[in-house]
Amino acid sequence: MKKLLAIILAVAMLVSVALLPGCSGNKDSGNTADAGKKYVIYSDNAFAPFEFLDKKTDKYIGVDMDIMAAVAKDQGFEYEMHNEGFDASMGAVQSGQADAMIAGMTITDERKKTFDFSQAYFEDGQVLVAKPGSKVETFKDLKGKKVACKTSTVSGEYAESIKKKYGFEITYFEGSDTMYQAVVTGSADACIEDFSVIGWAIESENVKLKILTKPLNVKGYGFAVKKGSNSELLKKFDAGLKNIKKSGEYDEILKKYGY
Ligand code: GLN
């Protein structure tokens, strides 16, 4: 009888040890799992004022770059930034090559199926854009026309949803800069882009384009990790964002870029 009790106790102990959170085989469980880790963060490369190359210093600057640096400093973690483009960043996060991305990325329900997002740190929507003096003034003028969109963006998604209704064709570009050039040179009749970004290009980079509509589908921008992974990093980002908002550093960053 005593022997049986001892066996039962031993089995019970083994089972309870196996069920401890640290032994469950879940890579993303403990709070110290990432200690000392250098995170790999991906971003866009021509999406001013959020991320763009500063020709003077040959470094990427912008709202996202500054927010990332401020959050990492506040939370005491290291990271390396790879400015590779928007579609490339989405791919890098999904394949696990990147731990996260910050790229003026709109938080959508569709994307929530494959990404986990931080709290929103900015809000923007999309606008229709054409050359000044163009016959295209609204979506209704797009029948038989070519609309330039950027791969994997919400602008492209929106254009796809209305292209039949208005009878236009979509051509895709990897970067915002190449997309604008297509409209400037006339190989496309219009493009759709985030309001703040095209606004910056027109005002600060002298891109000869005109905004035709009010911002549509206004939503938050978020820092993103692959769904179900890097939850510790996501928590740190949210905590850091809260702190830099409280300290006024967040406001200073926006002010630096004209907000
Ligand atoms: N905000 C847009 C999106 O998330 C565009 C982002 C970008 O081009 N970097 O789709």
Side-chain angles (χ1 to χ4, degrees):
M1 192 61 191
K2 249 188 191 167
K3 210 173 175 188
L4 186 65
L5 200 65
I7 291 170
I8 290 170
L9 270 176
V11 169
M13 266 169 74
L14 274 178
V15 169
S16 61
V17 166
L19 288 178
L20 280 176
C23 303
S24 64
N26 180 354
K27 276 189 222 138
D28 203 32
S29 49
N31 262 341
T32 52
D34 286 357
K37 183 174 170 165
K38 190 172 194 182
Y39 294 109
V40 175
I41 318 277
Y42 268 56
S43 184
D44 206 343
N45 52 10
F47 201 61
F50 294 91
E51 43 269 342
F52 57 109
L53 193 65
D54 178 19
K55 285 174 196 117
K56 274 180 245 149
T57 60
D58 206 32
K59 287 209 169 79
Y60 282 96
I61 58 169
V63 173
D64 287 346
M65 301 299 98
D66 286 4
I67 287 180
M68 199 63 228
V71 163
K73 191 167 172 223
D74 179 78
Q75 294 292 302
F77 67 80
E78 282 191 64
Y79 68 99
E80 53 185 53
M81 185 62 78
H82 296 251
N83 293 83
E84 301 285 349
F86 188 66
D87 186 46
S89 299
M90 304 250 281
V93 171
Q94 285 307 320
S95 72
Q97 200 175 330
D99 291 305
M101 64 186 282
I102 183 160
M105 183 180 187
T106 306
I107 303 169
T108 68
D109 288 341
E110 188 59 28
R111 286 176 177 163
K112 279 185 189 165
K113 291 179 192 162
T114 49
F115 291 91
D116 289 328
F117 287 97
S118 68
Q119 294 296 313
Y121 62 84
F122 193 82
E123 281 219 328
D124 206 2
Q126 291 70 50
V127 287
L128 182 65
V129 175
K131 259 207 278 200
S134 158
K135 287 208 178 92
V136 176
E137 279 171 0
T138 68
F139 284 104
K140 288 189 188 124
D141 304 322
L142 290 173
K143 200 170 171 57
K145 303 270 190 251
K146 271 199 190 117
V147 176
C149 287
K150 186 166 157 191
T151 314
S152 298
T153 61
V154 287
S155 297
E157 205 179 293
Y158 181 64
E160 292 289 349
S161 76
I162 58 167
K163 72 174 182 189
K164 271 214 186 96
K165 179 176 169 191
Y166 294 111
F168 61 81
E169 215 182 277
I170 304 174
T171 355
Y172 281 99
F173 294 84
E174 283 296 310
S176 291
D177 48 351
T178 46
M179 173 174 79
Y180 304 157
Q181 280 318 303
V183 186
V184 169
T185 58
S187 66
D189 303 286
C191 69
I192 304 174
E193 174 67 302
D194 289 14
F195 171 66
S196 320
V197 176
I198 186 63
W200 175 281
I202 292 168
E203 276 169 33
S204 305
E205 291 168 1
N206 204 23
V207 173
K208 299 266 181 282
L209 291 175
K210 189 179 162 194
I211 295 170
L212 304 172
T213 61
K214 288 216 175 81
L216 304 153
N217 305 319
V218 175
K219 287 191 171 81
Y221 281 180
F223 170 88
V225 296
K226 185 179 177 176
K227 195 175 173 74
S229 71
N230 274 309
S231 58
E232 192 178 327
L233 174 57
L234 195 56
K235 264 187 236 146
K236 285 180 190 165
F237 186 91
D238 275 333
L241 181 63
K242 209 171 156 194
N243 288 344
I244 66 165
K245 278 192 171 171
K246 222 192 268 164
S247 73
E249 197 173 350
Y250 170 88
D251 287 338
E252 267 168 41
I253 292 170
L254 287 188
K255 215 160 129 200
K256 187 170 149 191
Y257 294 97
Y259 294 104

Short mmCIF file of all heavy atoms in Angstrom, two decimals, residues 77-133:
data_model
loop_
_atom_site.label_atom_id
_atom_site.label_comp_id
_atom_site.label_asym_id
_atom_site.label_seq_id
_atom_site.Cartn_x
_atom_site.Cartn_y
_atom_site.Cartn_z
N PHE A 77 16.36 48.03 -24.58
CA PHE A 77 16.71 46.91 -25.46
C PHE A 77 17.47 47.41 -26.68
O PHE A 77 17.41 48.57 -27.04
CB PHE A 77 15.49 46.06 -25.85
CG PHE A 77 14.45 46.74 -26.72
CD1 PHE A 77 14.63 46.87 -28.09
CD2 PHE A 77 13.27 47.21 -26.16
CE1 PHE A 77 13.65 47.46 -28.89
CE2 PHE A 77 12.29 47.81 -26.95
CZ PHE A 77 12.48 47.94 -28.32
N GLU A 78 18.20 46.47 -27.32
CA GLU A 78 18.97 46.80 -28.51
C GLU A 78 18.26 46.28 -29.75
O GLU A 78 17.53 45.27 -29.69
CB GLU A 78 20.34 46.14 -28.42
CG GLU A 78 21.29 46.89 -27.51
CD GLU A 78 22.69 46.34 -27.68
OE1 GLU A 78 23.25 46.45 -28.78
OE2 GLU A 78 23.19 45.78 -26.69
N TYR A 79 18.51 46.92 -30.87
CA TYR A 79 17.90 46.46 -32.13
C TYR A 79 18.76 46.92 -33.29
O TYR A 79 19.58 47.82 -33.15
CB TYR A 79 16.48 47.01 -32.27
CG TYR A 79 16.42 48.51 -32.48
CD1 TYR A 79 16.27 49.05 -33.75
CD2 TYR A 79 16.56 49.38 -31.40
CE1 TYR A 79 16.24 50.43 -33.94
CE2 TYR A 79 16.54 50.76 -31.58
CZ TYR A 79 16.38 51.27 -32.86
OH TYR A 79 16.36 52.62 -33.04
N GLU A 80 18.57 46.25 -34.42
CA GLU A 80 19.18 46.76 -35.65
C GLU A 80 18.07 46.99 -36.66
O GLU A 80 17.12 46.20 -36.76
CB GLU A 80 20.25 45.79 -36.18
CG GLU A 80 19.79 44.37 -36.35
CD GLU A 80 20.90 43.43 -36.76
OE1 GLU A 80 21.93 43.40 -36.07
OE2 GLU A 80 20.72 42.71 -37.76
N MET A 81 18.16 48.11 -37.37
CA MET A 81 17.09 48.50 -38.29
C MET A 81 17.48 48.17 -39.73
O MET A 81 18.60 48.45 -40.15
CB MET A 81 16.86 50.02 -38.13
CG MET A 81 15.71 50.57 -38.92
SD MET A 81 14.11 49.88 -38.47
CE MET A 81 13.76 50.76 -36.96
N HIS A 82 16.56 47.55 -40.44
CA HIS A 82 16.78 47.24 -41.86
C HIS A 82 15.71 47.95 -42.68
O HIS A 82 14.54 47.59 -42.60
CB HIS A 82 16.66 45.73 -42.10
CG HIS A 82 17.70 44.91 -41.40
ND1 HIS A 82 18.72 44.28 -42.05
CD2 HIS A 82 17.87 44.64 -40.07
CE1 HIS A 82 19.49 43.65 -41.19
NE2 HIS A 82 18.98 43.84 -39.97
N ASN A 83 16.10 48.97 -43.43
CA ASN A 83 15.13 49.71 -44.26
C ASN A 83 15.09 49.08 -45.65
O ASN A 83 15.85 49.45 -46.54
CB ASN A 83 15.51 51.19 -44.32
CG ASN A 83 15.36 51.85 -42.97
OD1 ASN A 83 16.25 51.77 -42.13
ND2 ASN A 83 14.23 52.46 -42.74
N GLU A 84 14.18 48.13 -45.82
CA GLU A 84 14.19 47.32 -47.04
C GLU A 84 12.97 47.51 -47.93
O GLU A 84 12.87 46.88 -48.97
CB GLU A 84 14.28 45.83 -46.66
CG GLU A 84 15.51 45.45 -45.85
CD GLU A 84 16.77 45.39 -46.70
OE1 GLU A 84 16.67 45.43 -47.94
OE2 GLU A 84 17.86 45.33 -46.11
N GLY A 85 12.00 48.30 -47.49
CA GLY A 85 10.77 48.44 -48.27
C GLY A 85 9.60 47.84 -47.52
O GLY A 85 9.80 47.07 -46.57
N PHE A 86 8.38 48.20 -47.93
CA PHE A 86 7.20 47.78 -47.17
C PHE A 86 6.88 46.29 -47.37
O PHE A 86 6.77 45.54 -46.40
CB PHE A 86 5.99 48.66 -47.54
CG PHE A 86 4.81 48.41 -46.66
CD1 PHE A 86 4.86 48.73 -45.31
CD2 PHE A 86 3.66 47.83 -47.16
CE1 PHE A 86 3.77 48.48 -44.48
CE2 PHE A 86 2.57 47.59 -46.34
CZ PHE A 86 2.62 47.91 -45.00
N ASP A 87 6.75 45.88 -48.62
CA ASP A 87 6.41 44.49 -48.91
C ASP A 87 7.50 43.55 -48.35
O ASP A 87 7.19 42.51 -47.76
CB ASP A 87 6.26 44.31 -50.43
CG ASP A 87 5.76 42.94 -50.80
OD1 ASP A 87 4.79 42.48 -50.16
OD2 ASP A 87 6.33 42.32 -51.70
N ALA A 88 8.76 43.96 -48.50
CA ALA A 88 9.88 43.16 -47.99
C ALA A 88 9.80 43.02 -46.46
O ALA A 88 10.10 41.96 -45.91
CB ALA A 88 11.20 43.79 -48.39
N SER A 89 9.37 44.09 -45.79
CA SER A 89 9.25 44.05 -44.33
C SER A 89 8.16 43.07 -43.90
O SER A 89 8.34 42.29 -42.96
CB SER A 89 8.93 45.44 -43.77
OG SER A 89 9.97 46.34 -44.09
N MET A 90 7.02 43.12 -44.60
CA MET A 90 5.93 42.19 -44.27
C MET A 90 6.41 40.75 -44.42
O MET A 90 6.15 39.90 -43.57
CB MET A 90 4.74 42.43 -45.21
CG MET A 90 4.22 43.85 -45.20
SD MET A 90 2.64 44.00 -44.42
CE MET A 90 1.58 43.43 -45.69
N GLY A 91 7.14 40.49 -45.50
CA GLY A 91 7.66 39.14 -45.76
C GLY A 91 8.66 38.72 -44.71
O GLY A 91 8.64 37.58 -44.24
N ALA A 92 9.54 39.66 -44.32
CA ALA A 92 10.59 39.34 -43.33
C ALA A 92 9.97 39.00 -41.98
O ALA A 92 10.44 38.10 -41.28
CB ALA A 92 11.55 40.51 -43.20
N VAL A 93 8.90 39.71 -41.59
CA VAL A 93 8.24 39.42 -40.31
C VAL A 93 7.54 38.06 -40.39
O VAL A 93 7.67 37.22 -39.49
CB VAL A 93 7.24 40.54 -39.92
CG1 VAL A 93 6.40 40.12 -38.72
CG2 VAL A 93 7.98 41.83 -39.61
N GLN A 94 6.86 37.80 -41.49
CA GLN A 94 6.14 36.53 -41.61
C GLN A 94 7.07 35.32 -41.67
O GLN A 94 6.74 34.26 -41.17
CB GLN A 94 5.21 36.55 -42.84
CG GLN A 94 3.96 37.40 -42.66
CD GLN A 94 3.16 37.05 -41.42
OE1 GLN A 94 3.01 35.88 -41.08
NE2 GLN A 94 2.63 38.05 -40.74
N SER A 95 8.26 35.50 -42.26
CA SER A 95 9.19 34.37 -42.38
C SER A 95 10.03 34.18 -41.13
O SER A 95 10.75 33.19 -40.99
CB SER A 95 10.13 34.59 -43.58
OG SER A 95 11.06 35.61 -43.27
N GLY A 96 9.97 35.16 -40.21
CA GLY A 96 10.75 35.07 -38.97
C GLY A 96 12.14 35.67 -39.11
O GLY A 96 12.92 35.69 -38.16
N GLN A 97 12.46 36.20 -40.28
CA GLN A 97 13.75 36.86 -40.49
C GLN A 97 13.84 38.14 -39.68
O GLN A 97 14.90 38.55 -39.24
CB GLN A 97 13.85 37.19 -41.98
CG GLN A 97 15.23 37.41 -42.49
CD GLN A 97 15.20 37.62 -44.01
OE1 GLN A 97 14.34 37.08 -44.71
NE2 GLN A 97 16.13 38.40 -44.50
N ALA A 98 12.69 38.80 -39.49
CA ALA A 98 12.62 40.01 -38.66
C ALA A 98 11.78 39.71 -37.43
O ALA A 98 10.84 38.91 -37.50
CB ALA A 98 12.00 41.15 -39.45
N ASP A 99 12.13 40.35 -36.30
CA ASP A 99 11.32 40.20 -35.09
C ASP A 99 10.07 41.08 -35.16
O ASP A 99 9.06 40.76 -34.55
CB ASP A 99 12.14 40.60 -33.87
CG ASP A 99 13.26 39.60 -33.59
OD1 ASP A 99 12.94 38.40 -33.46
OD2 ASP A 99 14.43 40.00 -33.55
N ALA A 100 10.20 42.20 -35.87
CA ALA A 100 9.06 43.14 -35.92
C ALA A 100 9.26 44.11 -37.08
O ALA A 100 10.33 44.14 -37.70
CB ALA A 100 9.00 43.92 -34.61
N MET A 101 8.23 44.90 -37.35
CA MET A 101 8.37 45.98 -38.34
C MET A 101 7.69 47.24 -37.84
O MET A 101 6.73 47.18 -37.07
CB MET A 101 7.81 45.57 -39.71
CG MET A 101 6.32 45.29 -39.75
SD MET A 101 5.79 44.65 -41.38
CE MET A 101 5.76 46.17 -42.36
N ILE A 102 8.25 48.39 -38.25
CA ILE A 102 7.61 49.68 -38.00
C ILE A 102 7.74 50.44 -39.31
O ILE A 102 8.85 50.78 -39.74
CB ILE A 102 8.20 50.43 -36.78
CG1 ILE A 102 7.44 51.73 -36.53
CG2 ILE A 102 9.71 50.68 -36.91
CD1 ILE A 102 7.61 52.30 -35.13
N ALA A 103 6.62 50.66 -40.01
CA ALA A 103 6.71 51.15 -41.38
C ALA A 103 5.44 51.89 -41.79
O ALA A 103 4.92 51.67 -42.89
CB ALA A 103 6.97 49.98 -42.32
N GLY A 104 4.93 52.72 -40.90
CA GLY A 104 3.69 53.42 -41.22
C GLY A 104 2.59 52.43 -41.58
O GLY A 104 1.79 52.66 -42.48
N MET A 105 2.59 51.32 -40.86
CA MET A 105 1.71 50.19 -41.21
C MET A 105 0.33 50.34 -40.58
O MET A 105 0.19 50.42 -39.36
CB MET A 105 2.36 48.90 -40.73
CG MET A 105 1.60 47.65 -41.09
SD MET A 105 2.52 46.24 -40.44
CE MET A 105 1.57 44.89 -41.15
N THR A 106 -0.68 50.38 -41.42
CA THR A 106 -2.06 50.54 -40.96
C THR A 106 -2.56 49.26 -40.28
O THR A 106 -2.35 48.16 -40.80
CB THR A 106 -2.95 50.88 -42.17
OG1 THR A 106 -2.39 52.01 -42.84
CG2 THR A 106 -4.38 51.19 -41.74
N ILE A 107 -3.18 49.44 -39.14
CA ILE A 107 -3.74 48.30 -38.40
C ILE A 107 -5.10 47.95 -39.01
O ILE A 107 -6.02 48.77 -38.97
CB ILE A 107 -3.91 48.64 -36.91
CG1 ILE A 107 -2.57 49.08 -36.30
CG2 ILE A 107 -4.51 47.48 -36.13
CD1 ILE A 107 -2.68 49.71 -34.90
N THR A 108 -5.21 46.77 -39.61
CA THR A 108 -6.50 46.36 -40.20
C THR A 108 -6.90 44.98 -39.66
O THR A 108 -6.03 44.21 -39.23
CB THR A 108 -6.41 46.25 -41.74
OG1 THR A 108 -5.56 45.13 -42.08
CG2 THR A 108 -5.88 47.52 -42.38
N ASP A 109 -8.20 44.69 -39.74
CA ASP A 109 -8.68 43.38 -39.27
C ASP A 109 -8.07 42.26 -40.11
O ASP A 109 -7.73 41.20 -39.58
CB ASP A 109 -10.21 43.32 -39.35
CG ASP A 109 -10.84 44.19 -38.27
OD1 ASP A 109 -10.13 44.52 -37.28
OD2 ASP A 109 -12.02 44.56 -38.41
N GLU A 110 -7.93 42.49 -41.40
CA GLU A 110 -7.33 41.49 -42.28
C GLU A 110 -5.91 41.15 -41.82
O GLU A 110 -5.54 39.98 -41.70
CB GLU A 110 -7.33 42.06 -43.72
CG GLU A 110 -6.92 41.08 -44.80
CD GLU A 110 -7.80 39.83 -44.86
OE1 GLU A 110 -9.00 39.92 -44.49
OE2 GLU A 110 -7.27 38.77 -45.25
N ARG A 111 -5.11 42.20 -41.55
CA ARG A 111 -3.72 41.97 -41.13
C ARG A 111 -3.64 41.35 -39.74
O ARG A 111 -2.67 40.66 -39.43
CB ARG A 111 -2.94 43.30 -41.16
CG ARG A 111 -2.62 43.73 -42.58
CD ARG A 111 -1.95 45.07 -42.61
NE ARG A 111 -1.57 45.43 -43.98
CZ ARG A 111 -1.26 46.65 -44.36
NH1 ARG A 111 -1.29 47.64 -43.49
NH2 ARG A 111 -0.95 46.89 -45.61
N LYS A 112 -4.67 41.58 -38.92
CA LYS A 112 -4.65 40.99 -37.56
C LYS A 112 -4.71 39.47 -37.62
O LYS A 112 -4.45 38.80 -36.62
CB LYS A 112 -5.82 41.54 -36.74
CG LYS A 112 -5.53 42.91 -36.14
CD LYS A 112 -6.67 43.32 -35.24
CE LYS A 112 -6.54 44.75 -34.81
NZ LYS A 112 -7.82 45.25 -34.25
N LYS A 113 -5.06 38.91 -38.78
CA LYS A 113 -5.07 37.45 -38.91
C LYS A 113 -3.65 36.89 -38.94
O LYS A 113 -3.41 35.75 -38.60
CB LYS A 113 -5.79 37.04 -40.21
CG LYS A 113 -7.28 37.31 -40.19
CD LYS A 113 -7.88 36.90 -41.53
CE LYS A 113 -9.30 37.42 -41.66
NZ LYS A 113 -9.75 37.41 -43.06
N THR A 114 -2.68 37.71 -39.35
CA THR A 114 -1.30 37.22 -39.47
C THR A 114 -0.27 38.05 -38.68
O THR A 114 0.90 37.68 -38.62
CB THR A 114 -0.86 37.17 -40.96
OG1 THR A 114 -1.19 38.42 -41.57
CG2 THR A 114 -1.54 36.05 -41.70
N PHE A 115 -0.70 39.19 -38.11
CA PHE A 115 0.20 40.04 -37.32
C PHE A 115 -0.46 40.37 -35.98
O PHE A 115 -1.68 40.46 -35.90
CB PHE A 115 0.45 41.39 -38.03
CG PHE A 115 1.26 41.32 -39.30
CD1 PHE A 115 0.63 41.16 -40.53
CD2 PHE A 115 2.65 41.42 -39.26
CE1 PHE A 115 1.38 41.11 -41.71
CE2 PHE A 115 3.40 41.37 -40.44
CZ PHE A 115 2.76 41.23 -41.66
N ASP A 116 0.37 40.62 -34.96
CA ASP A 116 -0.11 41.25 -33.72
C ASP A 116 0.42 42.67 -33.72
O ASP A 116 1.59 42.89 -34.05
CB ASP A 116 0.42 40.51 -32.49
CG ASP A 116 -0.23 39.15 -32.31
OD1 ASP A 116 -1.41 39.00 -32.68
OD2 ASP A 116 0.46 38.23 -31.82
N PHE A 117 -0.44 43.62 -33.37
CA PHE A 117 -0.07 45.04 -33.42
C PHE A 117 0.05 45.65 -32.04
O PHE A 117 -0.66 45.26 -31.10
CB PHE A 117 -1.13 45.83 -34.20
CG PHE A 117 -1.11 45.59 -35.69
CD1 PHE A 117 -1.97 44.68 -36.27
CD2 PHE A 117 -0.23 46.28 -36.50
CE1 PHE A 117 -1.95 44.45 -37.64
CE2 PHE A 117 -0.20 46.07 -37.87
CZ PHE A 117 -1.06 45.16 -38.44
N SER A 118 0.90 46.70 -31.98
CA SER A 118 0.98 47.52 -30.78
C SER A 118 -0.25 48.43 -30.74
O SER A 118 -1.08 48.42 -31.64
CB SER A 118 2.24 48.41 -30.87
OG SER A 118 2.06 49.38 -31.91
N GLN A 119 -0.31 49.28 -29.72
CA GLN A 119 -1.28 50.36 -29.71
C GLN A 119 -0.96 51.27 -30.90
O GLN A 119 0.21 51.36 -31.29
CB GLN A 119 -1.15 51.19 -28.42
CG GLN A 119 -1.52 50.44 -27.16
CD GLN A 119 -2.98 50.03 -27.16
OE1 GLN A 119 -3.85 50.85 -27.47
NE2 GLN A 119 -3.24 48.79 -26.84
N ALA A 120 -1.96 51.95 -31.44
CA ALA A 120 -1.70 52.84 -32.57
C ALA A 120 -0.86 54.03 -32.10
O ALA A 120 -1.02 54.51 -30.99
CB ALA A 120 -3.02 53.33 -33.14
N TYR A 121 0.10 54.46 -32.95
CA TYR A 121 0.93 55.61 -32.58
C TYR A 121 0.72 56.79 -33.52
O TYR A 121 1.35 57.84 -33.34
CB TYR A 121 2.42 55.22 -32.51
CG TYR A 121 2.99 54.74 -33.83
CD1 TYR A 121 3.45 55.64 -34.78
CD2 TYR A 121 3.03 53.38 -34.15
CE1 TYR A 121 3.95 55.21 -36.00
CE2 TYR A 121 3.54 52.94 -35.35
CZ TYR A 121 4.00 53.86 -36.28
OH TYR A 121 4.48 53.44 -37.50
N PHE A 122 -0.16 56.63 -34.52
CA PHE A 122 -0.44 57.71 -35.48
C PHE A 122 -1.73 57.30 -36.20
O PHE A 122 -2.10 56.13 -36.17
CB PHE A 122 0.71 57.84 -36.49
CG PHE A 122 0.69 59.09 -37.32
CD1 PHE A 122 1.18 60.27 -36.80
CD2 PHE A 122 0.14 59.09 -38.61
CE1 PHE A 122 1.15 61.44 -37.56
CE2 PHE A 122 0.10 60.25 -39.37
CZ PHE A 122 0.61 61.43 -38.83
N GLU A 123 -2.41 58.28 -36.84
CA GLU A 123 -3.61 57.93 -37.60
C GLU A 123 -3.54 58.53 -38.98
O GLU A 123 -3.11 59.68 -39.14
CB GLU A 123 -4.84 58.51 -36.90
CG GLU A 123 -5.29 57.73 -35.72
CD GLU A 123 -6.81 57.64 -35.62
OE1 GLU A 123 -7.47 58.61 -36.04
OE2 GLU A 123 -7.31 56.61 -35.15
N ASP A 124 -3.93 57.77 -39.97
CA ASP A 124 -3.98 58.34 -41.32
C ASP A 124 -4.92 57.53 -42.20
O ASP A 124 -5.27 56.40 -41.88
CB ASP A 124 -2.56 58.37 -41.93
CG ASP A 124 -2.42 59.47 -42.97
OD1 ASP A 124 -3.39 60.22 -43.19
OD2 ASP A 124 -1.35 59.59 -43.57
N GLY A 125 -5.30 58.15 -43.33
CA GLY A 125 -6.14 57.48 -44.32
C GLY A 125 -5.54 57.71 -45.70
O GLY A 125 -4.49 58.35 -45.82
N GLN A 126 -6.21 57.21 -46.74
CA GLN A 126 -5.66 57.28 -48.08
C GLN A 126 -6.38 58.32 -48.94
O GLN A 126 -7.56 58.57 -48.76
CB GLN A 126 -5.76 55.91 -48.78
CG GLN A 126 -4.84 54.85 -48.18
CD GLN A 126 -5.25 54.40 -46.79
OE1 GLN A 126 -6.42 54.06 -46.58
NE2 GLN A 126 -4.34 54.40 -45.85
N VAL A 127 -5.61 58.90 -49.87
CA VAL A 127 -6.18 59.91 -50.77
C VAL A 127 -5.88 59.54 -52.22
O VAL A 127 -4.89 58.87 -52.51
CB VAL A 127 -5.60 61.33 -50.48
CG1 VAL A 127 -6.18 61.88 -49.19
CG2 VAL A 127 -4.08 61.34 -50.44
N LEU A 128 -6.75 60.04 -53.12
CA LEU A 128 -6.53 59.87 -54.55
C LEU A 128 -5.66 61.05 -55.01
O LEU A 128 -5.88 62.20 -54.61
CB LEU A 128 -7.88 59.88 -55.29
CG LEU A 128 -7.81 59.67 -56.80
CD1 LEU A 128 -7.28 58.29 -57.17
CD2 LEU A 128 -9.21 59.86 -57.43
N VAL A 129 -4.69 60.73 -55.86
CA VAL A 129 -3.68 61.72 -56.27
C VAL A 129 -3.51 61.69 -57.80
O VAL A 129 -3.52 60.60 -58.39
CB VAL A 129 -2.33 61.35 -55.60
CG1 VAL A 129 -1.21 62.26 -56.07
CG2 VAL A 129 -2.44 61.35 -54.08
N ALA A 130 -3.39 62.86 -58.40
CA ALA A 130 -3.10 62.92 -59.85
C ALA A 130 -2.20 64.11 -60.12
O ALA A 130 -1.83 64.85 -59.20
CB ALA A 130 -4.40 63.02 -60.65
N LYS A 131 -1.86 64.31 -61.40
CA LYS A 131 -1.03 65.46 -61.77
C LYS A 131 -1.88 66.72 -61.73
O LYS A 131 -3.06 66.67 -62.08
CB LYS A 131 -0.54 65.26 -63.21
CG LYS A 131 0.87 64.77 -63.29
CD LYS A 131 1.53 65.17 -64.58
CE LYS A 131 1.18 64.26 -65.74
NZ LYS A 131 2.15 64.37 -66.84
N PRO A 132 -1.32 67.85 -61.37
CA PRO A 132 -2.10 69.09 -61.42
C PRO A 132 -2.56 69.30 -62.88
O PRO A 132 -1.80 69.07 -63.80
CB PRO A 132 -1.10 70.17 -61.01
CG PRO A 132 0.06 69.47 -60.41
CD PRO A 132 0.08 68.08 -60.96
N GLY A 133 -3.82 69.70 -63.05
CA GLY A 133 -4.34 69.92 -64.41
C GLY A 133 -4.85 68.67 -65.09
O GLY A 133 -5.35 68.72 -66.21
#
